[in-house]
Amino acid sequence: MAKLGGPLDEFIDMSLLECLNQDEAYPATNAFSGDDAYLASDKGVDSELLVKVQFRQPIKLSGIKILAGPEDATAPQSIKVFQGKDHIGFAEAGDEEPTQELVLEPESVQRDGVMLPMRFVKFQCVRSLQIYFPDSGNDQTQVKRIQFFGEPAEKMDMKEWKPLKC
């Protein structure tokens, strides 16, 4: 099995984070903050969520951790992870074959959660991910934390690169 690597929080471009069907009072940025805030779907629509994440540089993804929100009945039951489908919508996410699909057991999304390994060979040069939380049959889906694990595909962060002046 491939090495899991460390957290990739610093490589997420928060300015490009997008989520379809989020409750505006509980936006997607909450799921990446690490505090007690959480992401929630719009109760007035349904419990589906589609989170679109862009990275500042290509990464090698080896694991993902999903933590449920404060209410047990709103925990996600599964996710579909797509790579590089920046303009995917709910219809495509529901019908198309994902890069990887994960079933979320109740114990894996509670408290500190469990890092779920990804098929490392399929996620070698990731620039964007789309995470689809299908309708769980509940009024709402709540996600306290989404965290990615792996390593940069390139060892230099181009955002911090500065040319030398000779």
Side-chain angles (χ1 to χ4, degrees):
M1 179 157 161
K3 159 179 126 166
L4 287 178
L8 296 170
D9 299 340
E10 66 185 280
F11 298 103
I12 297 171
D13 189 336
M14 297 299 282
S15 67
L16 297 176
L17 191 61
E18 183 182 349
C19 183
L20 303 181
N21 194 37
Q22 70 183 358
D23 183 326
E24 294 304 320
Y26 303 99
T29 53
N30 290 352
F32 296 91
S33 68
D35 57 21
D36 286 336
Y38 59 91
L39 161 66
S41 62
D42 186 344
K43 280 186 179 179
V45 181
D46 60 27
S47 64
E48 287 182 303
L49 286 168
L50 184 56
V51 180
K52 300 178 180 186
V53 181
Q54 300 276 336
F55 295 95
R56 291 190 288 118
Q57 72 179 70
I59 56 112
K60 294 179 181 182
L61 182 69
S62 56
I64 187 170
K65 186 189 290 189
I66 306 286
L67 296 180
E71 299 173 32
D72 288 341
T74 63
Q77 298 169 356
S78 66
I79 60 170
K80 288 183 175 183
V81 181
F82 297 89
Q83 178 186 211
K85 297 198 177 221
D86 297 337
H87 304 292
I88 195 170
F90 285 113
E92 298 90 354
D95 295 339
E96 289 184 19
E97 185 72 25
T99 310
Q100 186 165 349
E101 187 167 5
L102 299 168
V103 174
L104 304 174
E105 300 296 334
E107 60 274 3
S108 72
V109 296
Q110 300 301 326
R111 292 184 194 86
D112 294 330
V114 174
M115 184 178 8
L116 303 168
M118 303 298 287
R119 282 186 234 129
F120 195 62
V121 295
K122 297 212 175 221
F123 297 95
Q124 287 296 296
C125 189
V126 178
R127 295 180 184 276
S128 68
L129 288 173
Q130 297 70 40
I131 304 169
Y132 173 58
F133 295 86
D135 190 347
S136 60
N138 299 320
D139 290 341
Q140 188 177 52
T141 297
Q142 295 178 356
V143 179
K144 180 179 177 184
R145 184 81 163 108
I146 301 172
Q147 191 170 27
F148 303 110
F149 294 87
E151 59 189 35
E154 302 162 1
K155 297 300 179 192
M156 184 193 320
D157 186 350
M158 293 306 292
K159 188 173 183 178
E160 295 177 9
W161 180 80
K162 293 182 177 42
L164 292 175
K165 294 183 181 180
C166 299

